[in-house]
Amino acid sequence: MAKKRRPQPQAAAPKTKGGEVPVVGAREPCPCGSGRRYKACHGRQAAHAVTELVQRPFEGLQGECDWVALRELVPAATVELTLKGGLPEGVPSVTLATVLPMAWPALRRDNGAVLLGLQNDTASGDVSRDLADTLQRALEAEPGSPVAAGRPAADGPRLQDLLDPEAPFEPDVHTGFEFWVENAENATGEVAASLERANAAAIPTARIPGLEGAYWCEAPEKNHLRWVTAHPEEKLLDALARLHAAGTSSLGEGTRLVGSFRAHGLVVPVWDLPSSMSADDVAKPAAEFAERLAEALASDTPLTPEERRARGGLTNRQITLS
């Protein structure tokens, strides 16, 4: 017969202030005094709050469309970030980077500058809160050290709380990852070899001037234009359908609107381009398309049968990345 377990004395529950329950170990008694373990009591609520998916994590930030593009589409790019209240002492700059070596979430350089990686797995359902948590820890990290991944508090700040809402967001797209290291032109040995391998894997990409979220990329068989837009999805699909049915959805001879995908709550139309069509070549027809799209977005007349068929075709080819 199994021995009976003696009742174990319960640890005294820590007092809470203002109704707030502090975070303790998952197997420890919950500080609320319920007698249950933290993970089965208030810890469950905290975990749910942290993992709840935020559909548009970059909404409200300057350049939301470019944030999404750098997160999902662009291999190598950087942006100088401006913090509310200015930079802390000893931090000369904060730079957002699409990706960092070894997929580090962030890096504090020897000179104190901070690099924040955007293309990383996140611990919660809110990319903005994860990045804000990483940024705060990077600002306090020792110079010359990477910053490990972490789980943000459910009520922790988001990027919208840390960044200056009036500062411009101007991505600088690079042909390679030389921004990883200082004085990259003098790199030798394993550092130089690592850069060469990373650069070889990067798809040539360019930002289309004057069009937020629009990026050209070179692919083996055909080039593409992928354009992150902030227009309401239903309104945008109606407008694209009007243009498609009218034969004005292309960007010139040999180009074709092939569909769209969703990323972080925004819709991203995609065009196939001839392999001979460069980023410079597509800039003017893309700007002209933007004018046609604005007119179509302003229309509130019901879709014609042909436009509804065009809309159905665009919707059937739509996928969701995040």
Side-chain angles (χ1 to χ4, degrees), residues 49-59 71 122-133 152-154 156-161 264:
V50 172
T51 57
E52 187 175 356
L53 180 64
V54 175
Q55 296 290 343
R56 288 181 62 175
F58 305 116
E59 186 176 13
R71 167 83 178 177
T122 54
S124 79
D126 186 351
V127 178
S128 178
R129 198 180 307 280
D130 283 299
L131 288 169
D133 176 71
R158 307 177 73 237
L159 288 174
Q160 290 83 345
D161 302 314
H264 300 289

Side-chain angles (χ1 to χ4, degrees), residues 181-216:
V181 296
E182 298 176 276
N183 302 317
E185 64 277 6
N186 299 322
T188 60
E190 181 56 33
V191 173
S194 296
L195 283 175
E196 185 176 354
R197 288 193 297 269
N199 291 347
I203 297 175
T205 302
R207 188 183 184 214
I208 305 302
L211 299 176
E212 181 184 343
Y215 289 81
W216 168 95

Side-chain angles (χ1 to χ4, degrees), residues 71-111:
R71 167 83 178 177
E72 299 295 340
L73 307 177
V74 182
T78 55
V79 185
E80 295 300 311
L81 299 180
T82 303
L83 305 185
K84 290 181 179 179
L87 295 168
E89 184 178 355
V91 180
S93 63
V94 174
T95 303
L96 180 73
T98 47
V99 66
L100 295 176
M102 307 297 293
W104 287 328
L107 172 66
R108 184 88 184 271
R109 290 195 187 279
D110 290 336
N111 67 355

